Amino acid sequence: MNSRKFLALTLVATGLSAITLPALPPQDRFTLKAPNGVAFAEFRGYETWQDVAVSDTEGSVKAILGNPAMMKAYRAGIPANGKSFPEGAAIVKIEWAKKKSPVSPYFVEVPETLKSVSFIEKDSKRFPDTSGWGYAQFLYDAKAGTFKPFGTDASFNKNVCYSCHTKVKDKDYIFTEYLPR
Ligand code: HEC
């Protein structure tokens, strides 16, 4: 039994159950790393990056956001103009489980709980095996309020993430397009 549970039981047993336990310190997600060594901390500030686009699947909605270098490149016409995204460009995909809005008068699906955050960053010296892109994904446990890295071993990000992103090799390995707004 951990000390927190023990304290809770002791409080109940002694009739002090009305006393609330101090909250556990929140997880520091910025200490986490993907199996290839790409760290959550490398994407600090991603919550306020600009939106490139949104996407949805049967069960999820996603927001795709780019850092300033990525957005500047998109606005300059990359990758449609045949050029590659610059060093330091980074992009995040934030995925939520979706639900039918319980308050809207018309049918609309809205985010329900956070599922994962996925990152890609350009650093050609560091990621020569994956055409310059480093990949990382962190899964969110909504009940616990914690993230954990997705993937099994050092080759995971290359064999899984990059391998699928090679389908859009001619778009510098990035699926999401930036449309007029
Ligand atoms: C089976 C194919 C597949 C795999 C595997 C995959 N992706 Fe993607 N990824 C996509 C597609 C398709 C999109 C665009 C559609 C969307 O919004 O989900 C995308 C979009 C993204 C984006 C937004 C930028 C972009 O390229 O559009 C990020 C960031 C991303 N993926 C990261 C990852 C990471 C990290 C992994 C590995 C853990 C991964 N992906 C594995 C297919 C894949």
Side-chain angles (χ1 to χ4, degrees):
M1 188 186 309
N2 67 32
S3 57
R4 196 175 151 79
K5 267 193 194 146
F6 180 74
L7 178 60
L9 286 176
T10 312
L11 288 174
V12 170
T14 55
L16 294 174
S17 55
I19 296 175
T20 45
L21 291 173
L24 282 178
Q27 177 196 36
D28 182 4
R29 63 199 148 142
F30 296 119
T31 59
L32 301 174
K33 279 184 181 177
N36 57 354
V38 175
F40 208 135
E42 293 172 45
F43 306 94
R44 237 176 238 277
Y46 69 91
E47 300 96 325
T48 62
W49 290 355
Q50 277 188 17
D51 59 302
V52 179
V54 291
S55 64
D56 77 327
T57 58
E58 274 161 37
S60 304
V61 288
K62 311 176 201 183
I64 293 109
L65 317 175
N67 75 353
M70 190 88 197
M71 297 313 297
K72 197 176 164 201
Y74 268 126
R75 289 195 196 99
I78 295 171
N81 63 9
K83 291 189 181 154
S84 300
F85 288 99
E87 300 299 311
I91 188 163
V92 60
K93 181 167 78 175
I94 307 173
E95 178 172 7
W96 294 271
K98 68 181 181 184
K99 64 176 178 191
K100 183 177 170 293
S101 168
V103 289
S104 169
Y106 56 86
F107 176 82
V108 59
E109 290 175 318
V110 293
E112 183 169 40
T113 46
L114 179 61
K115 286 174 83 174
S116 65
V117 289
S118 306
F119 298 104
I120 313 180
E121 62 178 339
K122 186 71 144 317
D123 185 339
S124 299
K125 281 203 186 107
R126 198 170 152 206
F127 309 110
D129 293 351
T130 44
S131 305
W133 291 107
Y135 293 81
Q137 187 176 62
F138 300 93
L139 306 178
Y140 187 67
D141 177 339
K143 267 203 185 128
T146 52
F147 287 93
K148 71 166 191 242
F150 178 54
T152 41
D153 54 71
S155 62
F156 174 86
N157 301 90
K158 180 180 178 191
N159 296 341
V160 178
C161 312
Y162 174 68
S163 151
C164 185
H165 277 249
T166 55
K167 291 192 197 315
V168 282
K169 188 173 189 282
D170 59 344
K171 295 176 177 204
D172 199 14
Y173 305 89
I174 296 295
F175 281 98
T176 304
E177 285 178 43
Y178 181 75
L179 295 178
R181 52 191 62 196

